[in-house]
Amino acid sequence: MKSLKSLRLASALSVIGAVVTVAPAQADTARVAVHIATDAAPTQAIDRNIFGQFAEHLGQGIYGGVWVGKDSAIPNVRGIRSDVVAALKAIKVPNVRWPGGCFADEYHWRDGIGPAAARKVHVNSNWGGVPEANTFGTDEFMDFADQIGADAYVSVNVGSGSPEEAADWLEYMTAPTETTLAKERAANGHPQPYKVALLGLGNENWGCGGAMSPDHYVEEMKRFAHYVHNFNPAQHDAGQMKRVAVGWDSGKSDYTEQVMKAWADKVYSWDIEGVSLHNYVVGGWPPHFPATGFGEDDYAATIREAFNMDKLIVQQTAIMDKYDPGKKVFLSVDEWGAWLAPTPGSHPGFLAQQNSLRDAILAAVNLNIFARHADRVKNANIAQMINVLQAMILTDGPRMVLTPTYHVYRMYVPFQDAKLVPVSFDAGRYEHGKDSMPRLDAVAARDAEGHLWLSLINIDPNAPVRVALDHGRSASGQVLTAAKVDAVNTFAAPDQVAPRAVKVQSGTGGLVIEVPAKSVMVVRVD
């Protein structure tokens, strides 16, 4: 086993209440100079949609996580639990992808509208073989999105559905009240048309969405892109709906290649605005990394795999650039995250897993990668929002707990639509056994008010890093860390991994920030 020197935090940080103040560091603590190019004109915005969420009818992701029913003793508004809404509003969720996922390509929207007694109950064949009551359907989802202030990203059924079914669904959601379907929507309680910001043209149609060849999918995709329309007058000019075609699954390039080739040669009658990329940190199928009780071996393996996202985006971008050098079509990483071994004793088809400090670091690494590729990556949806995979929130009946990943998303709110500012630094290496990766990661951006924000991730679980900035007199913000990389928040102990305030003043050596081992830090540099 080989690693950097095992340096102790000891006197490097002194903690007063919830505020971390920097004290003199040990002499052999690694020091990294970070150059923030504040003189460069920031032109590329970090699209707020890279902080999107994903909610599928899977396990307790919807039922119990979002929907408890109007008659529930759990506080709710029209059946949607109020504690979850408040938590999601705090991280300013830009969009929610729904109803799937694999579930989307077996979903028939008419089964989930109208009176509860009229809704059809089906078997959820993708996730656990359990009954799907359809009590949470189109109108409930749109209500939920409105309550949290998010846009709707709706995936239509290309696998087992038809262009006619998808076209009717969009007309039901978006048409003014003069049409039969719009009158039906009004009768169901919503006279005004809904806004649909993003439209997924299928999901993983190379696999659970129908096992289609790339050529077959492209022909189907073109039909859906042509016949499915958004009729909302408010979206005819500004805020037009963006259609996202199915693209790459990790190491495969054939779908993206064929979709982009077709787009480059398209006729007037169809178009797309985005292509998807799905990628999970799994360590090989079936997913086997434990969510709790792991050590440095598993920590290093998962974080190293997380850095592979950069390579995948570079490869996918190269294909897209070949057909779209003007970058008119964006990349949508609309499924990503850590897919770990299921919680012992849970239903294996529900994909329930705990969420540790390790997962928070993994999330921050990916968000920084997306930000650096802001010219092409305009949307991303972590999988998934509540109770499933790398969730923001875990619930159990009336109880709710915020995960370490949630805290990263809240810390990163200032980066939403901020302008990317170039940074340069020697990342160094964190090495453990056969795993080698950057020790430090950093991204900077300037918000609409002109404030400069800096994200710093210390990957090394054993040693702090002193970061010397060439800009600024002070820095303040938050740091997320814990005693162990596998630390988690539970219903009994919900704050084991929680942000603490950081304040740093410039000294004789300039502005130097001590970044603790295994931590994510976001500061405003003044």
Side-chain angles (χ1 to χ4, degrees), residues 270-417:
W270 72 276
D271 205 349
I272 57 171
E273 290 73 37
V275 176
S276 71
L277 164 64
H278 290 181
N279 181 64
Y280 289 95
V281 172
V282 295
W285 291 95
H288 61 274
F289 286 128
T292 58
F294 57 87
E296 192 169 352
D297 288 352
D298 284 340
Y299 170 80
T302 50
I303 301 301
R304 177 194 54 76
E305 189 175 337
F307 275 104
N308 288 342
M309 178 66 80
D310 186 75
K311 179 178 71 174
L312 296 177
I313 292 175
V314 168
Q315 292 172 342
Q316 176 121 330
T317 297
I319 296 170
M320 298 175 76
D321 285 348
K322 181 167 60 173
Y323 300 102
D324 176 31
K327 299 186 185 298
K328 296 179 180 179
V329 179
F330 65 86
L331 182 59
S332 177
V333 190
D334 47 35
E335 284 192 33
W336 69 274
W339 191 325
L340 308 174
T343 299
S346 68
H347 192 307
F350 285 5
L351 308 188
Q353 63 189 47
Q354 248 293 2
N355 194 293
S356 67
L357 174 64
R358 181 261 320 267
D359 303 317
I361 293 171
L362 184 153
V365 165
N366 277 272
L367 292 173
N368 284 8
I369 290 170
F370 300 153
R372 282 192 288 269
H373 290 282
D375 60 337
R376 183 66 85 173
V377 178
K378 304 294 184 183
N379 184 69
N381 302 84
I382 190 169
Q384 292 189 20
M385 187 170 64
I386 304 170
N387 291 330
V388 176
L389 297 179
Q390 192 172 346
M392 303 290 111
I393 297 169
L394 303 177
T395 67
D396 178 24
R399 300 187 295 174
M400 183 190 79
V401 66
L402 305 177
T403 69
T405 298
Y406 172 93
H407 291 306
V408 166
Y409 270 67
R410 188 159 189 179
M411 292 165 64
Y412 271 65
V413 165
F415 288 92
Q416 293 192 13
D417 285 337

Side-chain angles (χ1 to χ4, degrees), residues 6 36 39 46 86 109 148 171 191 202 215 217 316 400 420 423 428 452 459 465 500 502:
S6 179
I36 305 175
D39 53 343
I46 301 170
W109 68 275
I148 67 172
E171 183 176 335
D215 290 339
Y217 170 74
Q316 176 121 330
M400 183 190 79
L420 189 67
V423 295
L452 182 66
I459 305 299
V465 175
R500 295 176 294 167
V502 174

Side-chain angles (χ1 to χ4, degrees), residues 16 236 239 243 245 255 269-270 294 484 495:
I16 305 174
H236 285 177
R243 294 154 292 188
Y255 256 64
S269 58
W270 72 276
F294 57 87
K484 299 168 59 179
D495 298 315

Side-chain angles (χ1 to χ4, degrees), residues 3-10 12-13 25-32 296 299 361 427 429-432 438-441 456-467 479 481-483 485 513-521:
S3 67
L4 297 176
K5 294 180 180 179
S6 179
L7 304 174
R8 295 291 179 260
L9 209 48
L13 298 179
Q26 295 181 7
D28 56 350
T29 301
R31 181 180 175 118
V32 177
E296 192 169 352
Y299 170 80
I361 293 171
R429 304 299 294 175
Y430 160 59
E431 297 181 343
H432 179 80
R439 176 187 57 196
L440 180 74
D441 195 52
L456 296 166
I457 309 171
N458 184 1
I459 305 299
D460 193 328
N462 303 308
V465 175
R466 297 187 76 204
V467 175
V479 63
T481 189
V485 290
I513 302 174
E514 187 94 20
V515 186
K518 57 188 180 307
S519 71
V520 179
M521 182 181 290

